[in-house]
Amino acid sequence: MKMLRTLALLSGLALAAAAQAQQPDTAALLAAQRQAMQPLALMDGVWRGTARVYQDGGRIKELVQTERVGSMLAGTLKVVEGRGYAADGQLEFHAFGVVSFAPRTGKYNFHANAQGQSANFDFEARPDGFVWFVRYGGVTIRNTAVIKDGNWTEIGERLVEGQAPVKTVELNLRRVGDTAWPAADAVPLK
């Protein structure tokens, strides 16, 4: 009986050690996520400018576009809210997105919600901005943003194999200030 208890104890210890070995190193994962978000710090703040939406028949809808961008979860997420206003002040476009990074795959993800829809998009950080992609069927929408000297320029293009790119949207924004959003005003313990 003593031998069975010893074997059971050793087996339990071996299983616990194996389970612990499979646990992710949380500190390392968080450090990798924070490091991946560093290039996106240039997005932080409050932005305002114009959005031109290129529509069928050569029509262009122009909006006053605002963006507010900040970090969440100790710098491991980038949170973005965009609003597009018509000339009369009516809110015509409202989007919310979260950029995350998965250390295990080495890839970013952009989860966005807008106009009653929600989806995940491929996202690439670049030293001077970012690129994100919407893919459906044989069509890709590539959105390329360059952020430099307090200016955020973003061009969306519809890409179809064998055809010239077609511009879908153009943002020209100017950084107008800082924001503590979304991390500020957390609910206190008491």
Side-chain angles (χ1 to χ4, degrees):
M1 191 67 161
K2 190 174 184 178
M3 175 72 99
L4 284 174
R5 276 187 269 161
T6 302
L7 284 174
L9 177 63
L10 289 174
S11 294
L13 289 174
L15 286 173
Q20 189 174 22
Q22 292 177 0
Q23 293 296 319
D25 179 353
T26 303
L29 291 174
L30 292 171
Q33 289 173 329
R34 276 192 288 277
Q35 182 177 2
M37 289 296 127
Q38 286 177 353
L40 301 178
L42 52 90
M43 297 171 66
D44 290 346
V46 178
W47 302 80
R48 184 179 295 114
T50 59
R52 287 187 180 89
V53 181
Y54 296 89
Q55 301 175 323
D56 292 337
R59 292 175 295 140
I60 299 173
K61 178 186 274 193
E62 191 163 305
L63 303 170
V64 173
Q65 183 70 26
T66 65
E67 300 283 338
R68 65 177 171 166
V69 183
S71 294
M72 201 65 191
L73 297 181
T76 62
L77 297 176
K78 191 61 63 184
V79 181
V80 182
E81 181 190 31
R83 293 174 181 243
Y85 298 92
D88 64 1
Q90 184 73 28
L91 180 64
E92 290 205 13
F93 177 78
H94 194 186
F96 180 82
V98 177
V99 179
S100 60
F101 180 77
R104 289 187 178 144
T105 64
K107 292 185 178 184
Y108 290 88
N109 180 62
F110 180 39
H111 181 83
N113 296 273
Q115 311 301 91
Q117 299 186 49
S118 175
N120 291 304
F121 305 107
D122 293 334
F123 185 97
E124 298 172 6
R126 295 189 171 175
D128 63 349
F130 57 89
V131 179
W132 61 283
F133 302 89
V134 177
R135 293 183 172 95
Y136 54 96
V139 178
T140 298
I141 304 294
R142 177 182 62 207
N143 299 279
T144 305
V146 174
I147 303 173
K148 184 178 179 183
D149 299 327
N151 294 299
W152 173 334
T153 303
E154 186 169 343
I155 304 293
E157 298 173 292
R158 183 174 46 248
L159 308 173
V160 177
E161 190 173 327
Q163 298 179 18
V166 175
K167 191 183 290 187
T168 58
V169 68
E170 180 177 353
L171 303 180
N172 288 292
L173 310 176
R174 181 93 182 128
R175 191 175 191 283
V176 295
D178 296 329
T179 182
W181 178 87
D185 300 324
V187 178
L189 175 64
K190 294 183 182 184

